[in-house]
Amino acid sequence: MSIERIVQIHIAVLTVVGAVLLGFGRGSPELPLLVAFAAVTSLIFTDLLGWFRLNHFVANLAALLALFFSLQEFLAGDSRSQLLAVANLLVYLQLVLFYQAKSHRLYWQLAVLSLLEVVVAAALRVGIEFGLVLIAYAATAISTMAYFFVYREIERVAGNGAGEEQRGALPAQQSRPRIRLLASPARLGQTLVGWGLAFQTAAVGVATLVFSLVLFFSTPRAEIAGRQAMYSRSVRLVGFSSEVRLREMSRILQSDEPVMRVSYRDMQTLESYRVLGDPYFRGAVFTEYVSYGGDSAWRQRRMEPSGSRPRASMVLNRFPNRPPRHRSVVRQDVTLEPNDSATLFAIFPVFGIEQTPDDVMFDPFAGRLFTAAHDPVARGVSVRYQVATTGLLGGLQLDITPHENRIQASSEERESLRQELEELVRFDAGRFPELKAVADAIVGPQQAAGARRAVMARSLRDHFLAPERYTYTLDFTQIRRTPGGDPIEDFVFLNRAGHCEYFASALVLMLRSQGIPARLVTGFHGCEFNALGDYYQVLQNHAHAWAEVYLEPDEMARELPPGSYVSPGGGWLRLDPTPGASRDRVRQVEKGLLGVVDDVLDYARLVWADYVLGLSAQRQRENIYNPVAEKAAIESWADFARRLATDREFVLQQLRRFAASPYGLATAAGIALLAAAVGWRIRKPSPARSPVLHAVRRLTSRLGISPADAQGPTRPVAAAFYARLESLLARAGLNRAASETPLEFAGRAIAQLREEWPGGPSPEVEVMSVVEAYYRVRFGRQSLAEGERERLEGSLRRVREAIAALATFRQQHAAGEPSPAGSGRGEGEIEQQVIS
Amino acid sequence: MGRRRVELCAEGWYYLFVLAFIVGGATLRSINLLYLLAGIMIGPLLWNWRVVVLSMRQLQVQRRLPAAIVAGRPIRVEIEGINHRRRLGSWMVVVQDSVQSGASGPRSSRAAPPAKATVILPYLASGASGRTAYEAVLPLRGWYEFGPLHVSTRFPLGLVRGSCRIPRVERVVVWPRIGQLSPRWLSAVSRERAGRQPMAYRHGPIDGDYYGLREWRPGDSLRWIHWRTTAKLGRLTVRQFEQLQNQDLTLILDLWQPEPADEADQQRVERAVSFAATVVDDVTRRGASRLTFGLAARGHGCWTAKAASGFSKELMDRLAVAEAADDDGLAAVLRETLPELAPGSRAIVVSTRSSQVERIGGGTAFTRRHRHLRALSRVLWLAVDDPVTDAIFQLDAP
């Protein structure tokens, strides 16, 4: 394969990989597919076969059209669309360039366009897959540059392209010396393309990777938080919204996309805190059930315009309360993926702590945690926040959380609570006759018996959990709700199939039908523990809805474990009526190999998001500069050295720790590789004595990728020829003694061959020509002349044929068959041998 | 090796420009991925720089020229690279050589720009050497200068170039163009000997190169008997020698040229020099003859020796730098040469002008000396623009 063809293939691969990176940024595969198609077809039909080539006029016209088309896109859209328009333009220009006759300039242009595509992609939000493909892109780019350089250099020297030096040697200038190169470009290319160049390219790649990582992490960032991307896509939270609508007519698709990662730490010890079971992460609270246009929906609590408006400080509040000291307080470190909502999620109750960002706020009126920094323009930024909770006890999440209005310090706040509780028992009995009948049937006797509110609520919940009474489904294509009727009434009376929102809504309405204050809560239930990163990962399909029942303080005290903190504002009892066996939120708990791989990938995503996309000045200080400074502190090293010198147990401990660490493993692997390389280099047996190695070398030599061949017409090549000759003769059982010179050995070998098979093909001339060339080049400091290498190849081929013929002769001779025609030994002689 | 230089190539500057654009974008927009991309771009640039710097260290490059260079004939100029480092090979070492006519020489067109020859040493392993070569045709005789050598490498990415200039210049003398002598040349020389007693000169005890053994024949010298073989075979056996023919020759080159000289005059001079060089080459290749050579040019002279390679080289060197003159040194050369003329042989004068024998014979130096006049009558005058000479000597156009 010619060096130019290799360059063309490299350029094609480079542009395709660049387009793939752009595809990651755009979130669509169309452009990579288009570029891949153009790259392959142009490589075949334009470069290889030359069937189709755009002339300059048509190419320029097409480029102008692409420019105008992209300009329209650029002017019509927002900033992200403008960036995508630029990306489109780059791809269009590449397409035009692909189908032109290639020149050095065109190759450069294609490569630069590809690089600009990667730049644009880097400005968009991309996942860790971008990083992985970026490594492949870098490797391809380096390889492309290396081969393109070789191609250009050879072209330049050979004067086929831009050989200005050779122009002075035109025959017309009779008085000037005339110069002609003896090595052809094709041969130079074949000489260079081999393992050596590949090794160099690989070395550049590895060095580049290491260097870029060091540079990336050590380059000081600005004090502002590291921006993850200029323009990025935000993720819509499936199953979570500011309004819960109950009119599903299709199949709801689940998504495995991550929503957030949560890690827990005990506030006192700062040790990692393990949560048992599936926690409930509260998001939004819905209090108002409305029907409109054939649909029904839950809405969040809104401030009324009338005089019952609560105090402003209660609506947007910066955590008025600190976490109680006598309770077990757990810190929640949450990283929420970019999404289209300002709502934040956490285990409730939440408290602000020192690490809580300023823009994280709590709305006690709506019972919602949210970020004030949510900006639709700056979408695509992960939200990281830390809040404390007292909702965990012994690793388990408590069923009851205190009411948000905890203090009730003023009459205003008491009035607000009264109004809220009034809202939470509003129920339209005319709209839900069957639902109320069912609730009455369940709770009626208990109510008459004066049962506590919590007992009645749990009875209603158990109604939904009874086996085979209700069916959990996400597929609504087969369910026909009653036209004009309420979907919850229909769910309880006719079509007892639905998802968590139906179950939770039905329970809330049943509770309200019995005068029990209740509300609907949406958020996430369940998570997956990632042991590698020591965090819990919440996915889109963990989205869930459940009900909460208000309990007065005295009843709350009876429900909580003895000695628990009881809020004076009462609390909320969480009830989850969704049948657990078929819930969509729980994923396989036992992790197999794939689960481990998932953990690794997710942890890599976290590292990518935190330490690549989101690397900020603060994170650099905390995770890079400070640890390095501590390690490098003179006192620390001096102390370490002193202990190494004096404390033997400390030394052993350090060695064990190092051996068990990834650094130790990496060091051991490195030492092993180094030892193997050194050993191979020292032991390196002669080709004739190592058949396997020699076979490999011979194969690589024939393929033109042998390092020996890469040296051109120099001494090692001649040595390789002679080595091959010895190898061929060794097949015939002729091995050179250590005391023999090559010439003596050649003479003995020829004599033995003649003696053994006097009439057989004699490779005397061929053998001597190889030996003579070997002597001349090895000892005479001369080069192989032009074409001599081919002649030597021919000589070796004839020696091989002669050896093969000799082997056949020996077989026939051993079997007692007559020798081939031309054999010097007569048939009678053979017969005599057989008879004897 | 001269002083090494490391610099960015044009491609390296473009690369740096794109890199600056990316770093600027990363800094202004605080996009970490652009920092990463910048790091990925800086890595190869630094690697290229490092490899280039190391590749040029302890690297020796030298030129090997053939012992004899004849104008118009291709020569193979070998460039040898030696990597003295213990580690790290050198890749893609580009060597540029300059070939230029020497500053002083017999022609006025010496100011032509040098021709450049660029070759690649693909790979020089550590502690090893490698060779490559180019072919050069030096069209005119005289002095030529090879060098200086420019050694450079841009491996592996072509962004950074390391280069070095080896200032040493090799001056070589290029012998005149060699033409072809037709069979008429031999017949012309032989005809002059017709009717005369052939002279059998013995150059030492043996009449030529050893060829083989044969049986003794009457007339064979006793000195030729190979006694060991005779004893072995039981019959007289003698050594057989290549028989050499007497080809003693007196050649005089008359490089007269009017002042000022036009192009035709210069061409005549070059043709005459080539004719003489061809004769010297021919006589030397035949061997075992005595050659007397007289040069009538700027700085005339006369030399006599056995026609061997050493004498031939000396004469070729003189012919390479011989310069024509408008003064008449021919008479002096003839006066010096003709008395040494062997009996029965003639002198051949190759000249740029028509025969001057009568004019010289009428001169005072010859009229008073009958012996000189007799010798002058044995001169064969060959003017280079004479059709007779064209039939004897052919020279390809440069």
Side-chain angles (χ1 to χ4, degrees):
Chain A
M1 187 182 292
S2 70
I3 186 89
E4 185 178 11
R5 196 72 65 228
I6 294 174
V7 170
Q8 286 168 347
I9 292 172
H10 268 84
I11 290 283
V13 174
L14 185 75
T15 49
V16 171
V17 179
V20 168
L21 288 172
L22 189 60
F24 285 141
R26 291 176 57 98
S28 62
E30 291 88 3
L31 284 185
L33 289 175
L34 188 63
V35 172
F37 173 79
V40 172
T41 52
S42 67
L43 186 66
I44 296 172
F45 298 110
T46 304
D47 300 335
L48 191 63
L49 302 174
W51 288 356
F52 177 72
R53 282 176 181 161
L54 290 176
N55 63 38
H56 284 301
F57 176 75
V58 176
N60 291 339
L61 194 63
L64 278 176
L65 285 175
L67 180 65
F68 282 123
F69 187 66
S70 302
L71 200 60
Q72 282 184 333
E73 291 178 337
F74 186 86
L75 296 175
D78 57 3
S79 52
R80 186 172 191 273
S81 303
Q82 288 174 346
L83 199 62
L84 294 180
V86 172
N88 289 344
L89 177 61
L90 296 173
V91 172
Y92 299 151
L93 292 178
Q94 268 189 344
L95 298 182
V96 174
L97 293 177
F98 268 137
Y99 294 103
Q100 293 185 55
K102 302 292 189 300
S103 62
H104 289 186
R105 179 179 293 180
L106 221 63
Y107 289 133
W108 275 120
Q109 288 170 348
L110 281 167
V112 170
L113 286 175
S114 172
L115 177 63
L116 292 178
E117 284 176 8
V118 179
V119 171
V120 171
L124 299 164
R125 180 179 170 77
V126 285
I128 189 172
E129 61 275 5
F130 180 91
L132 298 175
V133 179
L134 187 64
I135 294 174
Y137 181 83
T140 310
I142 290 168
S143 184
T144 304
M145 286 176 68
Y147 282 99
F148 188 34
F149 159 70
V150 171
Y151 169 61
R152 279 183 291 129
E153 200 77 337
I154 290 175
E155 289 278 298
R156 185 172 71 89
V157 170
N160 291 344
E164 54 186 323
E165 290 86 356
Q166 310 294 337
R167 276 184 205 153
L170 290 176
Q173 291 176 281
Q174 300 290 346
S175 63
R176 291 190 63 201
R178 293 194 294 275
I179 306 296
R180 188 173 72 88
L181 292 185
L182 296 176
S184 69
R187 184 172 165 185
L188 268 176
Q190 287 170 358
T191 305
L192 283 161
V193 176
W195 287 116
L197 191 59
F199 173 77
Q200 281 288 328
T201 308
V204 178
V206 172
T208 295
L209 189 63
V210 173
F211 176 81
S212 56
L213 288 178
V214 171
L215 189 76
F216 176 77
F217 287 112
S218 60
T219 304
R221 301 298 199 278
E223 277 301 317
I224 58 171
R227 197 169 181 171
Q228 297 183 358
M230 280 172 67
Y231 311 103
S232 57
R233 295 173 294 126
S234 59
V235 178
R236 184 176 178 273
L237 292 182
V238 177
F240 178 84
S241 62
S242 59
E243 186 181 77
V244 176
R245 303 185 69 173
L246 298 167
R247 179 59 82 184
E248 302 290 355
M249 300 300 291
S250 58
R251 182 180 175 83
I252 297 173
L253 299 177
Q254 291 182 302
S255 168
D256 278 343
E257 278 195 71
V259 173
M260 61 179 182
R261 298 178 182 85
V262 189
S263 60
Y264 300 96
R265 291 195 179 276
D266 190 300
M267 284 289 283
Q268 286 185 335
T269 63
L270 292 179
E271 293 287 326
S272 176
Y273 188 92
R274 187 72 191 266
V275 175
L276 306 175
D278 292 334
Y280 287 82
F281 299 93
R282 187 198 279 182
V285 174
F286 299 88
T287 56
E288 187 182 7
Y289 185 79
V290 293
S291 301
Y292 56 91
D295 281 352
S296 295
W298 286 97
R299 286 180 179 166
Q300 296 183 53
R301 193 179 181 210
R302 291 181 297 183
M303 288 183 293
E304 297 295 332
S306 60
S308 60
R309 179 178 180 142
R311 209 170 59 189
S313 62
M314 289 178 60
V315 177
L316 297 176
N317 215 328
R318 176 76 177 89
F319 298 107
N321 300 325
R322 312 296 298 178
R325 290 185 178 177
H326 63 284
R327 294 286 306 279
S328 164
V329 182
V330 177
R331 192 179 85 193
Q332 306 176 76
D333 295 341
V334 185
T335 304
L336 186 64
E337 291 291 316
N339 64 77
D340 51 0
S341 169
T343 302
L344 304 180
F345 302 87
I347 291 177
F348 271 59
V350 291
F351 300 93
I353 53 176
E354 187 183 352
Q355 293 88 350
T356 304
D358 292 340
D359 52 10
V360 172
M361 308 194 91
F362 180 68
D363 180 358
F365 186 74
R368 188 175 72 116
L369 191 67
F370 69 99
T371 173
H374 181 70
D375 179 6
V377 178
R379 290 175 304 178
V381 179
S382 295
V383 181
R384 298 171 63 89
Y385 54 96
Q386 294 81 27
V387 289
T389 184
T390 55
L392 293 167
L393 189 63
L396 290 170
Q397 187 177 12
L398 297 173
D399 286 343
I400 298 175
T401 55
H403 191 279
E404 295 80 11
N405 190 358
R406 303 175 187 95
I407 303 296
Q408 299 189 26
S410 65
S411 58
E412 249 183 315
E413 286 165 344
R414 282 196 293 276
E415 176 60 20
S416 174
L417 176 63
R418 189 191 61 77
Q419 286 181 4
E420 183 184 355
L421 295 179
E422 278 182 7
E423 289 173 19
L424 295 181
V425 293
R426 279 180 195 161
F427 178 72
D428 185 356
R431 189 170 176 80
F432 305 99
E434 292 298 332
L435 182 143
K436 185 168 188 325
V438 171
D440 288 344
I442 298 169
V443 179
Q446 294 177 340
Q447 210 162 19
R452 287 183 287 112
R453 187 181 286 179
V455 173
M456 291 188 288
R458 288 196 176 102
S459 299
L460 287 173
R461 180 199 63 187
D462 294 343
H463 165 75
F464 294 99
L465 297 178
E468 300 182 0
R469 186 177 289 163
Y470 289 87
T471 307
Y472 181 87
T473 184
L474 292 171
D475 186 3
F476 289 83
T477 54
Q478 303 300 321
I479 295 174
R480 297 286 176 268
R481 303 285 186 202
T482 308
D486 190 274
I488 300 301
E489 176 76 359
D490 183 275
F491 169 69
V492 173
F493 183 57
L494 292 175
N495 298 299
R496 290 185 163 183
H499 52 70
C500 57
E501 290 173 350
Y502 282 84
F503 285 94
S505 299
L507 177 60
V508 170
L509 291 174
M510 279 187 179
L511 287 164
R512 289 186 178 183
S513 72
Q514 303 304 309
I516 301 173
R519 63 186 189 181
L520 182 79
V521 179
T522 61
F524 293 92
H525 176 212
C527 55
E528 294 177 359
F529 180 64
N530 190 314
L532 194 64
D534 192 21
Y535 62 83
Y536 297 83
Q537 185 184 32
V538 180
L539 308 177
Q540 293 268 26
N541 57 21
H542 286 134
H544 194 48
W546 60 92
E548 284 186 349
V549 176
Y550 177 74
L551 299 181
E552 297 291 345
D554 55 339
E555 192 172 357
M556 182 183 170
R558 300 180 67 169
E559 291 294 325
L560 286 170
S564 297
Y565 168 73
V566 177
S567 165
W572 296 101
L573 172 65
R574 186 177 61 252
L575 295 171
D576 189 351
T578 308
S582 56
R583 284 181 301 184
D584 57 332
R585 63 183 180 273
V586 179
R587 283 183 57 159
Q588 192 68 30
V589 175
E590 290 183 6
K591 289 183 177 177
L593 182 62
L594 287 178
V596 174
V597 172
D598 274 352
D599 280 1
V600 172
L601 286 178
D602 188 69
Y603 185 61
R605 283 192 201 101
L606 178 69
V607 171
W608 172 261
D610 285 358
Y611 293 98
V612 178
L613 296 182
L615 185 69
S616 61
Q618 180 188 356
R619 210 162 286 166
Q620 267 187 316
R621 268 197 308 274
E622 291 172 357
N623 298 294
I624 300 170
Y625 294 161
N626 292 346
V628 170
E630 286 170 13
K631 289 276 183 191
I634 294 175
E635 295 84 0
S636 165
W637 281 105
D639 184 55
F640 185 77
R642 184 183 55 75
R643 292 193 66 184
L644 280 181
T646 55
D647 191 347
R648 187 180 173 188
E649 185 57 35
F650 178 74
V651 174
L652 293 175
Q653 181 191 347
Q654 291 298 321
L655 283 175
R656 278 196 293 271
R657 184 184 291 178
F658 180 74
S661 70
Y663 304 110
L665 293 175
T667 307
I671 290 173
L673 281 175
L674 192 66
V678 170
W680 181 81
R681 197 168 177 81
I682 291 172
R683 284 188 66 249
K684 207 159 140 183
S686 67
R689 289 168 195 165
S690 173
V692 176
L693 188 58
H694 176 59
V696 172
R697 285 184 182 168
R698 198 174 52 189
L699 180 65
T700 54
S701 174
R702 283 191 187 170
L703 292 173
I705 52 179
S706 165
D709 280 0
Q711 300 177 17
T714 54
R715 278 177 275 168
V717 174
F721 272 114
Y722 180 70
R724 286 171 60 188
L725 175 69
E726 280 198 352
S727 174
L728 287 172
L729 293 174
R731 291 184 193 175
L734 298 167
N735 292 301
R736 184 163 70 90
S739 60
E740 276 183 316
T741 66
L743 193 59
E744 289 170 350
F745 170 58
R748 180 171 65 80
I750 291 165
Q752 284 190 14
L753 290 174
R754 276 183 183 165
E755 185 182 355
E756 184 175 4
W757 192 12
S762 173
E764 178 181 353
V765 175
E766 289 77 13
V767 169
M768 293 310 292
S769 68
V770 174
V771 173
E772 185 271 332
Y774 174 68
Y775 268 74
R776 184 157 40 83
V777 176
R778 174 69 180 81
F779 304 113
R781 299 175 66 80
Q782 294 182 18
S783 303
L784 291 179
E786 187 74 16
E788 192 169 3
R789 189 171 167 171
E790 287 73 21
R791 286 198 293 277
L792 287 173
E793 281 286 0
S795 298
L796 286 171
R797 192 173 57 249
R798 286 189 287 278
V799 172
R800 189 185 307 117
E801 290 167 359
I803 296 296
L806 178 67
T808 310
F809 169 73
R810 284 175 173 171
Q811 287 174 357
Q812 292 172 348
H813 191 258
E817 293 177 18
S819 62
S823 167
R825 195 168 286 180
E827 288 184 13
E829 201 174 345
I830 294 172
E831 283 175 6
Q832 190 180 6
Q833 284 183 353
V834 172
I835 291 166
S836 62
Chain B
M1 296 280 276
R3 187 181 170 193
R4 287 186 291 270
R5 287 184 63 190
V6 178
E7 59 195 351
L8 273 181
C9 307
E11 293 88 347
W13 284 109
Y14 298 143
Y15 189 87
L16 208 60
F17 174 75
V18 176
L19 179 61
F21 168 73
I22 291 174
V23 171
T27 308
L28 293 176
R29 311 294 297 197
S30 295
I31 300 173
N32 279 333
L33 274 183
L34 290 184
Y35 280 117
L36 188 64
L37 196 59
I40 289 175
M41 287 187 72
I42 293 172
L45 189 64
L46 291 180
W47 180 273
N48 198 166
W49 169 78
R50 188 66 188 151
V51 169
V52 158
V53 169
L54 291 177
S55 293
M56 296 301 292
R57 280 186 190 162
Q58 298 180 50
L59 184 67
Q60 181 186 351
V61 177
Q62 58 195 27
R63 179 194 312 104
R64 290 176 184 275
L65 291 168
I69 303 174
V70 178
R73 286 189 183 171
I75 58 167
R76 179 185 169 91
V77 181
E78 286 202 342
I79 302 294
E80 181 182 32
I82 306 168
N83 182 358
H84 293 291
R85 291 189 302 276
R86 294 180 62 189
R87 291 189 187 84
L88 187 69
S90 291
W91 289 79
M92 292 289 286
V93 177
V94 178
V95 182
Q96 190 185 68
D97 199 3
S98 299
V99 189
Q100 190 176 19
S101 297
S104 62
R107 297 173 300 281
S108 58
S109 60
R110 291 295 190 187
K116 305 282 187 184
T118 308
V119 292
I120 292 180
L121 289 163
Y123 178 59
L124 297 172
S126 53
S129 64
R131 291 183 189 184
T132 185
Y134 66 89
E135 189 181 87
V137 177
L138 307 179
L140 302 175
R141 67 188 172 92
W143 290 104
Y144 276 85
E145 290 177 351
F146 283 79
L149 286 171
H150 288 268
V151 185
S152 65
T153 181
R154 302 193 295 166
F155 188 81
L157 301 175
L159 303 175
V160 180
R161 174 174 46 231
S163 61
C164 173
R165 184 174 179 270
I166 302 173
R168 194 168 72 89
V169 173
E170 270 184 272
R171 290 194 81 203
V172 294
V173 64
V174 177
W175 293 350
R177 301 169 71 85
I178 304 295
Q180 292 88 43
L181 294 172
S182 68
R184 292 186 62 179
W185 161 253
L186 286 178
S187 62
V189 176
S190 303
R191 192 166 54 240
E192 298 309 320
R193 298 191 187 117
R196 300 194 180 267
Q197 181 185 1
M199 303 298 293
Y201 289 94
R202 296 284 170 84
H203 305 288
I206 300 174
D207 284 357
D209 293 333
Y210 172 77
Y211 177 77
L213 297 174
R214 62 167 173 79
E215 288 188 358
W216 179 86
R217 289 200 290 260
D220 284 344
S221 171
L222 287 178
R223 289 180 301 172
W224 297 351
I225 295 173
H226 193 267
W227 294 108
R228 183 183 296 176
T229 308
T230 300
K232 192 175 178 181
L233 299 178
R235 59 177 180 271
L236 278 174
T237 305
V238 296
R239 285 171 289 179
Q240 185 182 14
F241 299 94
E242 292 279 9
Q243 293 301 306
L244 301 175
Q245 188 180 4
N246 173 33
Q247 291 179 346
D248 283 4
L249 183 69
T250 298
L251 178 67
I252 295 159
L253 176 62
D254 173 34
L255 288 184
W256 181 85
Q257 178 181 273
E259 194 66 37
D262 58 14
E263 193 174 342
D265 294 325
Q266 289 180 1
Q267 285 180 357
R268 272 193 292 274
V269 168
E270 293 306 314
R271 185 171 171 78
V273 171
S274 289
F275 191 177
T278 305
V279 171
V280 170
D281 180 61
D282 182 71
V283 170
T284 306
R285 279 194 286 109
R286 291 172 187 276
S289 296
R290 180 165 292 275
L291 177 64
T292 300
F293 180 74
L295 177 62
R298 183 165 297 162
H300 57 268
C302 182
W303 303 270
T304 300
K306 181 184 172 186
S309 61
F311 186 50
S312 168
K313 183 177 182 309
E314 182 188 346
L315 294 183
M316 286 295 196
D317 286 347
R318 292 186 185 282
L319 285 171
V321 296
E323 292 186 58
D326 60 348
D327 64 334
D328 196 358
L330 180 62
V333 172
L334 286 175
R335 264 202 318 273
E336 191 176 347
T337 309
L338 292 183
E340 305 298 325
L341 199 60
S345 66
R346 296 189 67 173
I348 295 173
V349 176
V350 176
S351 176
T352 55
R353 50 185 169 172
S354 56
S355 176
Q356 304 290 316
V357 172
E358 289 184 9
R359 183 180 63 78
I360 292 172
T364 54
F366 280 81
T367 50
R368 296 177 184 173
R369 299 183 182 180
H370 295 289
R371 182 167 161 240
H372 286 185
L373 279 173
R374 278 201 306 275
L376 198 58
S377 65
R378 288 156 56 193
V379 166
L380 174 63
W381 191 279
L382 294 174
V384 289
D385 52 358
D386 191 338
V388 175
T389 309
D390 287 342
I392 291 174
F393 173 66
Q394 288 87 41
L395 181 67
D396 294 335

